[in-house]
Amino acid sequence: MTNETDSTNTAESTQPVIRSVAYTPNGGGDQAYEVIDAIRRGENPTPTVHPEVLESDSVINVEKFNLWYTETQAIHDISMKIPRGAVTALIGPSGCGKSTLLRSINRMNDLVEGVRVEGGISLNDSPIYAPSVDVISLRKRLGMVFQKPNPFPMSIFENVVYPLRIDGERRKEVLEEACEKSLRSAAIWDEVKDRLKKSALGLSGGQQQRVCIARAIVADPEVLLLDEPCSALDPVATLKIEELISQISERYTVLIVTHNMQQAARVSDFTAFMYLGRIVEYGPTATLFQTPALIETEHYVSGRFG
Amino acid sequence: MGTSESKTRNSASRRLHAMDSAAEFVVTTGGFIVLAAVLGICFYLVWVVVPLFARGTVGEEVAGKADGVTSSAMVMLDPYARSATVIGSDFNATTLLIEGGQVVGLGALADKALEPTAMSYARNGEVVAIGYSDGQVQLGELKYKSKLVRLDDLADIDVIKAVEFGYIESLGEGRGRRVGFEHSFGDPIQLKAGEGAVVAIDYRKDPTGKKILAVLRTDGTVLVNTIRTIRPLGGGTPKAKLKTKSFQLAHPTDQPDWFMVTADGKHVLCVWEDGRCERYARIRRGGFELIESIQIVEEPSTITTTNMLLGGQTLMIGQSNGTVSSFHVAKDKTGSTKDSLQLVRSHNIASKHGEVVSISASIRDRSVAVLHRDGVVEIRHMTSEKLVASIHTGLEYPVAAAMAPKNTGLVVVGEDGSYSFHEIEPGYPEFSVGALFGRVHYEGVAEPEYVYQSSSGDDASEIKLSLMPLVFGTLKATVFAMLFAIPIAVLAAMYSSEFVSKRVRKKIKPTVELMASLPSVVLGFIAAMVVAPFVAEHIDSFVIGMVVLPIAVLAAAHLWQLIPLAYRLRTRTGHHLMLVGLTVFVGVWASSLIGPTVVRSWFAPDAFDGAMLAGAVEDVPQGELPSWSGDASYSTKTVRKLRAMGLGVDSGVVVRPIDDELHTEGLAEVGLVGGDLQRWLNDEYGRARPGWLVVFFPLACIGVWIAQAVFVRRRIDLLIAEQGGFVGSLVVLGKFVVLLGLSFVLAMVGAVVAESMGFDPRDSVFGSFSPRNTLVVAIIMGFAVIPIIYTISEDALQAVPMTLRTASLGAGATPWQTTVRVVMPVAASGIFSACMIGFGRAVGETMIVLMATGNTPEMDWNIFSGFRTLAANIAVELPEAPKDETHYRVLFLCGLVLFVMTFVINTLAELVRRVVRARNAGL
């Protein structure tokens, strides 16, 4: 067994809400994890998908998706539907393929050499991996926020309107309006409205990340992809981002990868638990955290393994 | 166990400490050595160069008085500056020893019975003439003869012993040198024309050895004689034979105060005290005529003395206010004189020391000793205007000064025979800051200019040390090479860093870096032996290719858009490369195919050229001439303006073709059927228009592209967005074609306008073609600096954090947008450094420019001419520069200038790098 452990943030460990629920006396550490053991053996157990997921309208549809980094298979035959207008969290231990899956959706994995995929993903019913797909226009339909805040070395204003600029938008009033709107959505307008022309590199990490979120939503993406957006931030900044995610989820479909179970529990409507490139259990967040179908999930979300 | 372990640890720690301090010592020493070496080189350069700026040094004064001398007029020194001979206005020569003033000889130079009336003395006595009252002249020579003697029988002499007309100087070891004054004159010659006594006489020798004698007689007749010395075969005295041209002064009674002839015998100059000057010259093969009469001194100053500078071409005048001016005959800019020449003032040097009494010219260089009324002598170099030395003598009535033949001493005599002698060490008179970096008015040219010409055939020529042509050549080579190298290198770096896979990059980079290891001598050799002839032969294709190739690449990109997206997305990098290669190949092929044809039809001689070359022209009646055409005989610009109107100029007369026929037979005769780009470049024929078209077209393209980006792009973008797909691509292609056409029209309009205003590209970016030219250097030197720019730029691009790229790509930017908008600004400082390092390499590059250019120190931007760089200059001239002389030190100065240039460039690069780095500090 690999000894990968999730570094649980001390800030969250003070919140007892979830921890007290998950424990089942007849489970225990010595009980065999059927599904996970099967996965470790290289088998392909059927993932436990709760019916609520299947019932909802999906915006992204992953079907029998496999991905290899040269020889190593990182994603095994995943099929899942991402519900529209909700926040879906991908959780799982390091190396379980959750980031890879996220990056497959806007085809950022194409940039990695030796990546090969099988199966398909579709965004609003249009396939992403069809040979005739223009990657550039695909990415324009998705917004992405990365692990580490990565503002460009430009002014805050230019950072936010970058996606519009590259589409050739040059009318000042349009840009200014869009900039203000998305900075407000990203809950940072009041902090930066007087220094829009200053370099974004002068902001704090949390502010930078919110500027990046503003940048990701400025072009009204169909789905917002968040790849562990808080892992490089301090607890206060993390809290702000989480509040922000809750706010913007009213307007956007959000897919978030997180290491932090509490975060997933706080911000998401649906959660998928992944392990070694496979979905283990996928369902409404409340169900998954309180009454999961699998003992593995229960133990994972309560921090007893992983 | 515990103790032994701690012992081991102790000894280990001691060893580590020892190694640490040893390493620190070695590293520090190494650093110091490097620093010291760089500073040492710099200081050594400065140390060699500094003496150039210093004045000459002057020794102690030796004063005395020669007995029996009452009316000194001239003085000369022997080559060793031990004795002087004072020539009086009574035509007596008194030789004296400077130390002590002992008179050792006294003799009459002229035949007193014939009443000598005038005397000429030039070149330290080498050419002396005396004129008599009966119109006879006597030609001769005053000189010091020196020979080595044994001193056995004269063992008692200490250092110097006076002998008749000279002295014997001990050289030690029983050897001595006997130096004695001698004068030898031929028989008097009766002049063939004019009447009366000889009023003034001037006898000159030019550097080729030709002797000219000019004589003015009482009746105003001037005789200009070419002297041929005939030595009888059987021995005996040589006889002088005169070939005479005579003419009358314009005002025979108003005889000039000074009368001179230039050493080439072409000009006779008459100068009056009040500042008037008349120049008489030979018009073609005919006789002498008065050409110009000008005032060369401004009121209230008057002329107090005149002389000719070494070489006998430059007239120097001394004025009552202490100013010394020099004049020479140069090409006339306004065309108002009969011989198209004009006396121009080249130098004007003021002095605070009052009236100039005499000016004596050195026979070694272009220095003069200017003697002022207050007894101060200022030794100046007339080209550099450098004050070599300023010497105060106590003489009350100084009349003449003379420098020793090797400029090692200076003697001044007073009216009464008192004299003052100083040893001098002139240092580096040719050198001055003004002569180095400013325009200098050299002998024989109409205007001050920048010229570098460090050596010449004879002493009389000026050494021209302006470094500007070399600095210019260095910059020209560098700028053109960088124009070629930077786009290629930076684009290549962008390509391999941003557009290809890691696997490919790993192969490309070492390959390009391998290019850097090519020795520059090999590149230079290839440039000179392969590229230069190739460019010369395919110049047509090269010129056209500069336009065709970019168009071909852009056209290919637009055509590529027409292919449906689905197919385009399936191509791989390899296919792209093949397509680009194919495009370039087609572009080159098209250039080589259409180049010669296009050039021959554009740069072909038209009916006008045919008529001009065939001589089928008629004079244009005065009434039909444009009012501004009056200066057509000498102004190129006017000629070109006329040319644009269909008028030509034939030996100063405005002409037009008789008919509109193409005189093919005339063109065939000069081999110009179909035209020839090289001959067009050499300005043999043709109008300016096609040249301007080639120059303006790229500029027009850039301008039109910017204009459309500002005004119409948005609308077109919207249109494309509406139409989408294939139609959109068609619109883009259409836009491209329209813009191209528009650029062409604009360029054509610009060309016509520029031509009608009399501008011609052959005066600036184009010009006469030399096979080893800037284009060749640009290509090969560009090739030499591409690897270094590429490598450093590539590293700079690679250093840009990957997160920025993913952020941009994740936002839906194309790789190109990502590169240009995000990666490039961050890598800009590194790329700038790369360019500057490349620039520094190109500035110092020697072998390529040495081998691939003609090394002619020219100063124009013509890309088809050669140039000389500072580095190449050092390499070319160091072998012929004698150690520690001016030339040698000037070459070190070139090195210092080069050092400073690269230092400034590198510092600039570093400063820019810091600014940009500070901007990106948060990354």
Side-chain angles (χ1 to χ4, degrees), chain B residues 401-681:
Chain B
M403 276 192 272
K406 287 176 183 162
N407 289 2
T408 50
L410 175 94
V411 70
V412 182
V413 287
E415 175 102 59
D416 57 353
S418 55
Y419 65 90
S420 161
F421 172 82
H422 292 264
E423 265 186 19
I424 48 175
E425 165 50 58
Y428 305 92
E430 309 93 328
F431 180 91
S432 72
V433 177
L436 265 191
F437 296 108
R439 291 178 191 274
V440 177
H441 203 150
Y442 296 108
E443 190 170 74
V445 294
E447 280 176 336
E449 54 191 20
Y450 298 113
V451 182
Y452 183 85
Q453 189 189 351
S454 60
S455 50
S456 56
D458 58 77
D459 288 347
S461 325
E462 284 171 292
I463 292 180
K464 297 160 187 169
L465 292 178
S466 176
L467 290 191
M468 296 311 280
L470 305 179
V471 173
F472 181 89
T474 308
L475 290 177
K476 182 181 172 187
T478 313
V479 166
F480 278 109
M482 295 315 268
L483 278 179
F484 181 78
I486 288 178
I488 293 180
V490 173
L491 284 173
M494 277 162 69
Y495 179 70
S496 76
S497 167
E498 307 297 318
F499 293 89
V500 299
S501 61
K502 215 183 268 173
R503 203 162 36 85
V504 179
R505 181 163 75 241
K506 272 186 192 153
K507 284 178 195 151
I508 294 180
K509 210 172 172 209
T511 313
V512 178
E513 278 162 1
L514 213 78
M515 273 169 64
S517 62
L518 268 177
S520 66
V521 65
V522 173
L523 289 175
F525 187 63
I526 290 171
M529 296 295 132
V530 182
V531 181
F534 186 81
V535 170
E537 195 179 333
H538 299 281
I539 183 72
D540 302 352
S541 308
F542 260 88
V543 171
I544 295 305
M546 280 191 250
V547 177
V548 169
L549 203 54
I551 292 178
V553 171
L554 288 175
H558 281 88
L559 289 173
W560 176 240
Q561 293 283 315
L562 292 180
I563 299 170
L565 190 66
Y567 290 100
R568 272 189 276 152
L569 287 169
R570 276 177 210 166
T571 53
R572 297 224 194 100
T573 318
H575 297 142
H576 274 133
L577 264 184
M578 271 163 60
L579 282 170
V580 172
L582 187 72
T583 309
V584 172
F585 175 77
V586 168
V588 170
W589 177 72
S591 310
S592 67
L593 204 69
I594 63 170
T597 324
V598 171
V599 163
R600 259 165 222 152
S601 58
W602 283 5
F603 295 86
D606 54 12
F608 176 84
D609 294 311
M612 284 295 282
L613 290 166
V617 289
E618 62 185 5
D619 289 4
V620 179
Q622 277 297 323
E624 293 173 33
L625 279 179
S627 54
W628 42 261
S629 68
D631 53 356
S633 55
Y634 56 90
S635 162
T636 335
K637 205 178 158 185
T638 310
V639 173
R640 287 187 170 148
K641 257 166 110 174
L642 287 169
R643 174 74 178 84
M645 293 175 63
L647 301 175
V649 177
D650 188 16
S651 44
V653 181
V654 179
V655 294
R656 64 182 172 204
I658 294 169
D659 45 36
D660 283 342
E661 270 176 56
L662 187 61
H663 288 260
T664 7
E665 73 289 346
L667 290 174
E669 214 167 279
V670 290
L672 264 181
V673 179
D676 183 317
L677 188 59
Q678 285 196 27
R679 294 175 71 171
W680 181 86
L681 285 170

Side-chain angles (χ1 to χ4, degrees), chain A residues 108 111 113 131-134 136 139-140 142 146 150-154 162-163 165-166 168-171 201 215, chain B residues 501-503 565-566 569-570 709 714 803-804 806-814 817 821-822 826 920 922-923:
Chain A
M108 289 300 277
L111 304 175
E113 268 176 61
S132 62
V133 166
D134 180 11
I136 303 302
R139 288 184 190 144
K140 288 186 202 296
L142 301 156
F146 297 81
N150 52 3
F152 302 126
M154 314 168 183
Y162 182 80
R165 283 249 189 245
I166 57 176
E169 182 57 66
R170 292 189 303 156
R171 285 167 298 178
L201 298 177
R215 182 174 69 196
Chain B
S501 61
K502 215 183 268 173
R503 203 162 36 85
L565 190 66
L569 287 169
R570 276 177 210 166
R714 169 117 206 114
T803 56
L804 291 183
T806 47
S808 172
L809 292 170
T814 61
Q817 283 173 323
R821 287 169 185 258
V822 177
V826 177
N920 295 336
L923 281 177

Side-chain angles (χ1 to χ4, degrees), chain B residues 231-465:
Chain B
R231 299 177 189 280
L233 275 176
T237 44
K239 276 209 152 118
K241 234 185 153 179
L242 276 58
K243 207 172 131 200
T244 307
K245 285 266 175 195
S246 66
F247 63 96
Q248 280 283 315
L249 286 187
H251 312 284
T253 49
D254 183 15
Q255 299 218 324
D257 297 304
W258 292 278
F259 170 81
M260 261 156 293
V261 63
T262 58
D264 55 9
K266 287 181 182 154
H267 307 276
V268 171
L269 302 167
C270 299
V271 180
W272 283 264
E273 197 183 340
D274 58 7
R276 277 180 295 136
C277 174
E278 284 180 351
R279 179 169 68 88
Y280 296 83
R282 285 181 74 174
I283 302 291
R284 297 203 176 121
R285 303 241 110 226
F288 279 83
E289 277 179 44
L290 175 63
I291 303 294
E292 54 183 340
S293 180
I294 52 172
Q295 186 73 22
I296 56 173
V297 169
E298 283 146 35
E299 301 271 349
S301 197
T302 56
I303 296 177
T304 50
T305 181
T306 68
N307 202 345
M308 296 289 265
L309 196 58
L310 175 70
Q313 297 292 339
T314 297
L315 166 72
M316 290 176 297
I317 59 160
Q319 299 176 30
S320 56
N321 63 3
T323 303
V324 173
S325 310
S326 65
F327 297 84
H328 63 250
V329 178
K331 197 160 186 268
D332 182 16
K333 282 179 295 172
T334 58
S336 54
T337 58
K338 276 188 197 161
D339 60 351
S340 300
L341 297 173
Q342 179 188 33
L343 197 65
V344 293
R345 187 168 78 183
S346 50
H347 297 277
N348 197 42
I349 305 164
S351 164
K352 60 178 194 292
H353 289 293
E355 185 186 329
V356 178
V357 175
S358 94
I359 302 171
S360 55
S362 157
I363 61 158
R364 186 175 169 81
D365 60 19
R366 300 179 78 86
S367 300
V368 291
V370 181
L371 175 61
H372 295 274
R373 175 61 71 209
D374 62 359
V376 173
V377 182
E378 290 187 325
I379 300 177
R380 287 200 182 263
H381 192 269
M382 286 311 286
T383 303
S384 67
E385 302 191 4
K386 183 178 184 173
L387 179 63
V388 177
S390 180
I391 300 166
H392 291 258
T393 67
L395 298 183
E396 228 167 299
Y397 298 106
V399 289
M403 276 192 272
K406 287 176 183 162
N407 289 2
T408 50
L410 175 94
V411 70
V412 182
V413 287
E415 175 102 59
D416 57 353
S418 55
Y419 65 90
S420 161
F421 172 82
H422 292 264
E423 265 186 19
I424 48 175
E425 165 50 58
Y428 305 92
E430 309 93 328
F431 180 91
S432 72
V433 177
L436 265 191
F437 296 108
R439 291 178 191 274
V440 177
H441 203 150
Y442 296 108
E443 190 170 74
V445 294
E447 280 176 336
E449 54 191 20
Y450 298 113
V451 182
Y452 183 85
Q453 189 189 351
S454 60
S455 50
S456 56
D458 58 77
D459 288 347
S461 325
E462 284 171 292
I463 292 180
K464 297 160 187 169
L465 292 178

Side-chain angles (χ1 to χ4, degrees), chain B residues 116-188:
Chain B
T117 51
M119 179 172 171
S120 157
Y121 169 90
R123 289 185 69 91
N124 221 34
E126 200 182 329
V127 278
V128 175
I130 295 170
Y132 293 94
S133 60
D134 60 351
Q136 290 199 89
V137 291
Q138 219 178 352
L139 306 178
E141 183 175 19
L142 309 180
K143 67 178 176 200
Y144 280 97
K145 220 172 187 175
S146 68
K147 63 177 184 189
L148 292 175
V149 290
R150 300 292 306 171
L151 287 183
D152 298 339
D153 48 335
L154 296 160
D156 57 328
I157 72 157
D158 190 8
V159 180
I160 282 187
K161 178 179 189 281
V163 294
E164 203 178 352
F165 284 106
Y167 60 90
I168 293 174
E169 184 180 12
S170 166
L171 299 174
E173 293 170 13
R175 291 182 303 123
R177 177 167 53 211
R178 185 192 169 119
V179 180
F181 176 74
E182 274 180 15
H183 63 89
S184 54
F185 281 90
D187 296 329

